[in-house]
């Protein structure tokens, strides 16, 4: 084995030193941990010395510690007490610093202060918190024994209902839609109260991030204009349809979703999923919509300016059914805001944060979201917080 030039030095404490340490730890008001900290030794070592001292195995013999370093001197009891006081002051300051971060309730009502003490009393001490928040301990303990108020019971029952609605709608509803869902069930409650209860319970809706892409040079199709621009809002079904496509990651590849939506009811009436972004994909979605609906000639079919919708296959199909094609103005993606809104909701509520391993897995999720949730249950602000299927039944 190699020979070390500077081996580690080992402390060998003399019996006198051990006896003094043990006797110091036996003084009234002094704890083993304090003595160990003052002498810079491990508390377990001092506990072992105390045991050996009781058994008579350690006696003062006048020997000095075998080491080139000077023997440590045991600090006096006064110094240990001062060290202990400084540690307590440091712990108190740390508590106050933590309180400053938490105690936005310090300016609230007495009940809010009592609630704060109840939440943090075990950690920081009831007596200390009562003094710091300016309330009496007797008042706090009386508050703890008091029966729950009617308002508190009402909030608890309402929060239970809010949780049910939030969970039943896949956890995507924020406070506006939860508020509308409560009203539909006959529960009269303020919007801000719902906001507060959801915020306190950490219930949040899902929202997508805003992505910005650098637009490329797109071909301008003079023959396709935005005929929706000067048209009034539709007054019935099958007057204006909008369509678009988007992309969704599956493993290390992309899949493309084309969809058709009725502007009047916000219902998705046709969609198609494929591995290639082609006119065939958008044609399948259009034919799906035509099988579900039987529109009269004159229907406006609005899309963006992509080649998938300007292709002959799409334009020929539209002509066969007497449908008028309409496209966005150049660099004006908001002309197709209804479809952008649908894709935004879809990705925020069902796609983001989910890893799809196969196209079939993605297809199942899309079918469940579009056919069962979005069309049948999801409340839409643009149609008076109703579901598309319900709205169509109302106007039928």
């Amino acid at each position: 084995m190699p020979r070390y030039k500077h081996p580690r030095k080992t402390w060998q404490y003399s019996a006198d030193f051990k006896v003094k340490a043990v006797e110091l730890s036996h003084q009234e008001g002094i704890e083993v941990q304090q003595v160990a900290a003052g002498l810079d030794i491990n508390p377990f070592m001092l506990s072992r010395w105390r045991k050996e001292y009781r058994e008579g195995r350690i006696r003062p013999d006048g020997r000095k510690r075998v080491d080139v370093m000077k023997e440590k001197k045991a600090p006096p009891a006064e110094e240990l007490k001062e060290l202990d006081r400084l540690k307590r002051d440091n712990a108190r300051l740390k508590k106050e610093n933590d309180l400053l971060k938490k105690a936005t309730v310090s300016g609230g009502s007495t009940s809010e202060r009592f609630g704060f003490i109840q939440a943090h009393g075990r950690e920081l001490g009831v007596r200390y918190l009562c003094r710091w928040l300016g309330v009496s301990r007797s008042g706090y303990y009386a508050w703890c024994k008091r029966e729950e108020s009617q308002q508190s019971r009402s909030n608890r029952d309402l929060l239970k209902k809010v949780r049910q609605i939030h969970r039943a709608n896949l956890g995507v509803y924020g406070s506006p839609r939860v508020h509308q869902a409560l009203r539909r069930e006959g529960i009269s409650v303020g919007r801000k109260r719902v906001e507060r209860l959801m915020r306190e319970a950490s219930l949040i809706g899902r929202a997508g991030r805003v992505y910005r892409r650098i637009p490329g040079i797109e071909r301008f199709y003079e023959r396709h204009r935005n005929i929706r621009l000067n048209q009034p809002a539709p007054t019935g079904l099958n007057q204006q349809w909008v369509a678009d496509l988007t992309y969704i990651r599956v493993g290390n590849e992309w899949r493309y979703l084309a969809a058709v939506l009725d502007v009047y009811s916000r219902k998705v009436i046709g969609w198609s999923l494929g591995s290639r972004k082609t006119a065939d994909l958008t044609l399948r979605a259009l034919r799906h919509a035509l099988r579900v609906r039987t529109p009269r000639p004159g229907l406006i079919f609005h899309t963006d300016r992509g080649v998938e919708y300007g292709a002959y296959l799409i334009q020929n199909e539209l002509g066969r059914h007497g449908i008028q094609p309409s496209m966005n103005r150049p660099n004006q993606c908001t002309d197709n805001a209804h479809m952008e809104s649908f894709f935004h909701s879809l990705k925020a509520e069902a796609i983001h944060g989910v890893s799809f391993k196969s196209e079939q897995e993605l297809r199942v999720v899309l079918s469940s979201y579009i056919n069962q949730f979005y069309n049948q249950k999801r409340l839409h602000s643009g149609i008076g917080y109703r579901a598309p299927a319900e709205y169509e039944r109302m106007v039928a």
Side-chain angles (χ1 to χ4, degrees), residues 206-225:
R206 296 191 63 181
R209 294 174 291 178
V210 177
Y211 293 92
R212 301 185 184 277
R213 61 179 183 179
I214 300 175
I217 300 176
E218 299 181 1
R219 183 178 177 181
F220 183 80
Y221 297 100
E222 286 290 345
R223 63 182 181 274
H224 300 308
R225 298 177 297 105

Side-chain angles (χ1 to χ4, degrees), residues 221-389:
Y221 297 100
E222 286 290 345
R223 63 182 181 274
H224 300 308
R225 298 177 297 105
N226 185 349
I227 61 178
R228 282 189 65 207
L229 197 59
N230 299 319
Q231 292 285 334
T235 58
L237 299 175
N238 301 328
Q239 294 181 2
Q240 294 182 18
W241 291 358
V242 291
D244 199 358
L245 55 82
T246 190
Y247 50 92
I248 303 171
R249 182 179 290 279
V250 174
N252 295 324
E253 300 177 348
W254 293 107
R255 292 297 183 269
Y256 300 94
L257 171 67
V260 180
L261 182 143
D262 191 306
V263 176
Y264 181 71
S265 65
R266 306 296 198 273
K267 185 175 184 179
V268 178
I269 55 178
W271 60 276
S272 180
L273 182 68
S275 60
R276 299 181 63 190
K277 184 182 176 183
T278 62
D280 289 330
L281 177 68
T282 55
L283 180 62
R284 290 200 300 270
L286 174 60
R287 286 178 172 171
H288 183 187
L290 291 172
R291 286 195 301 270
V292 173
R293 301 288 184 87
T294 54
R296 296 178 180 178
L299 164 70
I300 296 176
F301 184 77
H302 184 86
T303 67
D304 66 5
R305 306 191 71 82
V307 294
E308 298 83 13
Y309 291 104
Y312 171 78
L313 286 175
I314 295 294
Q315 298 303 315
N316 184 57
E317 189 73 13
L318 295 176
R320 288 179 54 242
H321 293 84
I323 300 174
Q324 304 178 70
S326 173
M327 284 191 170
N328 289 356
R329 293 167 294 173
N331 301 320
Q332 297 291 332
C333 62
T334 54
D335 288 352
N336 202 11
H338 294 94
M339 282 306 303
E340 297 291 344
S341 176
F342 164 69
F343 285 144
H344 175 88
S345 300
L346 167 68
K347 291 188 175 182
E349 298 172 359
I351 303 300
H352 288 165
V354 181
S355 298
F356 299 101
K357 298 180 181 179
S358 66
E359 181 177 321
Q360 181 59 29
E361 183 179 348
L362 172 60
R363 190 179 296 274
V364 170
V365 171
L366 291 175
S367 177
S368 174
Y369 179 84
I370 296 174
N371 299 334
Q372 299 175 22
F373 179 67
Y374 191 87
N375 285 343
Q376 302 295 329
K377 295 180 60 179
R378 189 181 188 275
L379 305 182
H380 294 256
S381 58
I383 52 177
Y385 284 101
R386 293 181 176 86

Side-chain angles (χ1 to χ4, degrees), residues 70-88:
K70 294 182 179 180
E71 184 175 340
K72 298 182 179 180
K73 294 182 179 180
E78 293 77 9
E79 186 176 337
L80 289 175
K81 291 181 179 178
E82 178 66 15
L83 179 63
D84 186 56
R85 186 186 66 79
L86 292 174
K87 287 182 177 179
R88 289 198 303 270

Side-chain angles (χ1 to χ4, degrees), residues 20-304:
K20 289 179 181 179
V22 171
E23 291 176 347
L24 187 61
S25 69
H26 285 157
Q27 292 185 18
E28 185 178 356
I30 301 298
E31 298 180 355
V32 172
Q33 290 81 359
Q34 294 175 312
V35 176
L39 298 177
D40 194 22
I41 60 177
N42 195 298
F44 292 105
M45 180 184 293
L46 180 55
S47 298
R48 189 177 74 245
W49 293 351
R50 285 162 59 96
K51 179 181 178 182
E52 293 175 352
Y53 183 82
R54 289 193 304 268
E55 296 173 351
R57 290 190 287 166
I58 296 180
R59 295 182 180 277
D61 56 4
R63 289 190 304 109
K64 295 184 178 179
R65 180 175 53 82
V66 182
D67 199 290
V68 296
M69 301 181 69
K70 294 182 179 180
E71 184 175 340
K72 298 182 179 180
K73 294 182 179 180
E78 293 77 9
E79 186 176 337
L80 289 175
K81 291 181 179 178
E82 178 66 15
L83 179 63
D84 186 56
R85 186 186 66 79
L86 292 174
K87 287 182 177 179
R88 289 198 303 270
D89 289 345
N90 184 56
R92 177 179 57 81
L93 291 173
K94 185 176 183 301
K95 282 184 180 181
E96 292 181 354
N97 185 51
D98 293 339
L99 279 174
L100 289 174
K101 298 177 182 177
K102 298 176 181 178
T104 54
V105 74
S106 60
S109 65
T110 304
S111 294
E112 289 175 336
R113 299 184 189 192
F114 287 156
F116 182 84
I117 295 172
Q118 189 178 50
H120 302 283
R122 183 179 296 274
E123 175 188 358
L124 302 172
V126 172
R127 176 182 298 179
Y128 179 79
L129 286 176
C130 287
R131 185 173 64 252
W132 192 80
L133 292 174
V135 294
S136 65
R137 279 193 296 160
S138 59
Y140 166 68
Y141 288 120
W143 177 85
C144 291
K145 297 177 182 178
R146 192 178 304 160
E147 293 185 2
E148 188 179 16
S149 66
Q150 182 178 354
Q151 179 69 17
S152 179
R153 289 195 298 271
S154 175
N155 284 337
R156 188 183 67 246
D157 296 339
L158 179 59
L159 179 59
K160 183 178 179 181
K161 190 64 180 176
V162 167
R163 289 184 185 276
Q164 291 175 355
I165 293 174
H166 189 263
R167 184 168 53 251
N169 291 279
L170 310 180
V172 303
Y173 276 11
S175 59
R177 285 191 169 83
V178 171
H179 177 242
Q180 292 296 327
L182 289 169
R183 292 185 58 185
R184 288 164 61 86
E185 295 186 14
I187 301 176
S188 179
V189 61
R191 179 176 56 84
K192 291 188 176 181
R193 185 182 177 190
V194 176
E195 289 179 3
R196 176 175 57 81
L197 291 176
M198 292 186 66
R199 181 171 59 251
E200 292 174 353
S202 300
L203 296 176
I204 57 175
R206 296 191 63 181
R209 294 174 291 178
V210 177
Y211 293 92
R212 301 185 184 277
R213 61 179 183 179
I214 300 175
I217 300 176
E218 299 181 1
R219 183 178 177 181
F220 183 80
Y221 297 100
E222 286 290 345
R223 63 182 181 274
H224 300 308
R225 298 177 297 105
N226 185 349
I227 61 178
R228 282 189 65 207
L229 197 59
N230 299 319
Q231 292 285 334
T235 58
L237 299 175
N238 301 328
Q239 294 181 2
Q240 294 182 18
W241 291 358
V242 291
D244 199 358
L245 55 82
T246 190
Y247 50 92
I248 303 171
R249 182 179 290 279
V250 174
N252 295 324
E253 300 177 348
W254 293 107
R255 292 297 183 269
Y256 300 94
L257 171 67
V260 180
L261 182 143
D262 191 306
V263 176
Y264 181 71
S265 65
R266 306 296 198 273
K267 185 175 184 179
V268 178
I269 55 178
W271 60 276
S272 180
L273 182 68
S275 60
R276 299 181 63 190
K277 184 182 176 183
T278 62
D280 289 330
L281 177 68
T282 55
L283 180 62
R284 290 200 300 270
L286 174 60
R287 286 178 172 171
H288 183 187
L290 291 172
R291 286 195 301 270
V292 173
R293 301 288 184 87
T294 54
R296 296 178 180 178
L299 164 70
I300 296 176
F301 184 77
H302 184 86
T303 67
D304 66 5

